[in-house]
Amino acid sequence: NYWGIAAYEINENEYESLSKSIAAEVENTTSLPFEMGNIVEFSKTNSNTIWIGSNINSFFQYDLTSNKYTQFNYNVNKPSDASHFIFCFYEDLDGIIWVGTYSSFVKVDTKSGKLKSFSTVDGLPGGNIYSITEDNNGALWIYSSGGLSKLNKNAPIDKYSFVNYDVHDGLDGLA
């Protein structure tokens, strides 16, 4: 039900069948599992790639040439993980994809497929990442639930640090 909650009572055999269907759907590379994407980003550096974010299944890279989906950042052992909820994408000038989730800021190396996740533990003032953009000097600006942050990505990844701004810096309306 699109506007409410639907509850079903199923027996053990139906549950087993549904579990197998869900597992097969997660492994499927030719379609999105169970939902439509709510965020779409067209790649600037690779014209055959579309990035699709979802509310429960994290995010996908869709290759227009092969007609295949690749799912990223999804933990089947934690299906309700907050990082599966995608707020935004940003592709920087170097072709790196940055993803804002309900709980983290994720760097996607498109060449290797490796992910690096940043959270409040790493210095972000809030976990919900609503928007990402880049300035003319290559620094990323991240708008989160805790305020505005600047990331100078010219440093090695293990030396990344966030400079945070909030109402104490004159930004009205930010917590």
Side-chain angles (χ1 to χ4, degrees):
N1 185 337
Y2 186 75
W3 296 105
I5 297 173
Y8 300 95
E9 186 175 331
I10 60 176
N11 63 36
E12 193 67 33
N13 289 337
E14 291 169 324
Y15 178 78
E16 291 287 325
S17 177
L18 182 60
S19 294
K20 287 178 184 175
S21 294
I22 290 170
E25 195 67 33
V26 167
E27 298 298 319
N28 186 352
T29 62
T30 59
S31 65
L32 290 173
F34 299 113
E35 68 170 316
M36 297 300 292
N38 65 338
I39 304 292
V40 176
E41 172 81 16
F42 293 90
S43 176
K44 297 176 203 88
T45 58
N46 183 347
S47 60
N48 293 324
T49 300
I50 299 173
W51 292 91
I52 303 166
S54 75
N55 288 335
I56 59 173
N57 289 301
S58 200
F59 64 96
F60 302 82
Q61 179 185 31
Y62 179 62
D63 185 320
L64 294 166
T65 305
S66 67
N67 202 30
K68 299 264 187 204
Y69 290 91
T70 303
Q71 189 173 25
F72 288 88
N73 200 47
Y74 185 76
N75 183 343
V76 293
N77 297 319
K78 294 182 179 180
S80 61
D81 191 310
S83 69
H84 296 168
F85 187 102
I86 306 303
F87 279 121
C88 62
F89 288 103
Y90 183 78
E91 184 175 1
D92 70 16
L93 297 172
D94 300 319
I96 294 174
I97 299 293
W98 299 87
V99 185
T101 80
Y102 190 76
S103 66
S104 59
F105 177 59
V106 181
K107 177 184 180 182
V108 182
D109 184 329
T110 56
K111 292 178 179 78
S112 69
K114 291 184 180 179
L115 307 178
K116 172 66 177 155
S117 187
F118 302 93
S119 68
T120 53
V121 173
D122 301 298
L124 283 168
N128 297 356
I129 308 300
Y130 301 122
S131 181
I132 308 161
T133 194
E134 187 173 17
D135 66 22
N136 291 338
N137 297 318
L140 293 177
W141 290 87
I142 303 114
Y143 171 50
S144 75
S145 53
L148 185 65
S149 299
K150 179 181 176 182
L151 171 65
N152 180 355
K153 59 187 176 74
N154 296 326
I157 195 164
D158 61 334
K159 303 273 193 239
Y160 278 7
S161 64
F162 297 93
V163 178
N164 300 317
Y165 304 90
D166 59 18
V167 292
H168 299 99
D169 300 298
L171 296 176
D172 289 336
L174 294 176

